Amino acid sequence: MDPEPSPEEIMRQQEEKLRDKYGDLKPKKKLIHKDVKYFDSADYSLQQQDKEHHKGEEDVRALPVKMGASPPKHPKSRFPGVQ
């Protein structure tokens, strides 16, 4: 009987069969390059909206607080002596 082939030998045989069937396949190019900032126009729009949203918040934070005292919780009764 033939001795059982090693896992490396099995892998080499399978790779050889695939190479014969499909030829040498080159690795695929990356679909998204590193220098691309946005995946699509929706991502760009969301980022622009986020910038505008935060810009408004910074303006509000820079304003001085001009709040006065809060009004009383219970208004005075129209009838004296009744609460």
Side-chain angles (χ1 to χ4, degrees), residues 30-41:
K30 291 184 179 180
L31 295 177
I32 298 177
H33 304 288
K34 290 183 180 180
D35 59 338
V36 175
K37 295 179 183 178
Y38 310 105
F39 181 73
D40 59 7
S41 61

Side-chain angles (χ1 to χ4, degrees), residues 1 4 10 16 18 30 33 36 40 50 55 63 66 70-72 77 79 81:
M1 295 191 142
E4 195 171 310
I10 294 172
E16 222 174 88
L18 288 172
K30 291 184 179 180
H33 304 288
V36 175
D40 59 7
D50 193 40
K55 185 174 77 172
L63 295 174
K66 294 185 177 180
S70 298
S77 174
F79 305 103

Side-chain angles (χ1 to χ4, degrees), residues 1 24 27 29 32 35 37 41 44 51-52 72 78:
M1 295 191 142
D24 276 337
K29 295 187 311 183
I32 298 177
D35 59 338
K37 295 179 183 178
S41 61
Y44 176 79
K51 285 180 184 177
E52 290 174 13
R78 296 187 310 175

Side-chain angles (χ1 to χ4, degrees), residues 5-72:
S6 68
E8 291 82 19
E9 182 64 28
I10 294 172
M11 183 68 85
R12 189 187 61 74
Q13 290 172 354
Q14 289 175 349
E15 286 176 358
E16 222 174 88
K17 286 180 188 177
L18 288 172
R19 209 171 281 117
D20 290 341
K21 187 173 182 178
Y22 298 109
D24 276 337
L25 297 176
K26 297 178 183 177
K28 292 184 178 182
K29 295 187 311 183
K30 291 184 179 180
L31 295 177
I32 298 177
H33 304 288
K34 290 183 180 180
D35 59 338
V36 175
K37 295 179 183 178
Y38 310 105
F39 181 73
D40 59 7
S41 61
D43 288 343
Y44 176 79
S45 297
L46 287 173
Q47 180 130 3
Q48 295 305 313
Q49 287 176 359
D50 193 40
K51 285 180 184 177
E52 290 174 13
H53 177 72
H54 288 301
K55 185 174 77 172
E57 285 179 3
E58 292 170 2
D59 294 341
V60 170
R61 290 181 193 149
L63 295 174
V65 178
K66 294 185 177 180
M67 293 180 62
S70 298

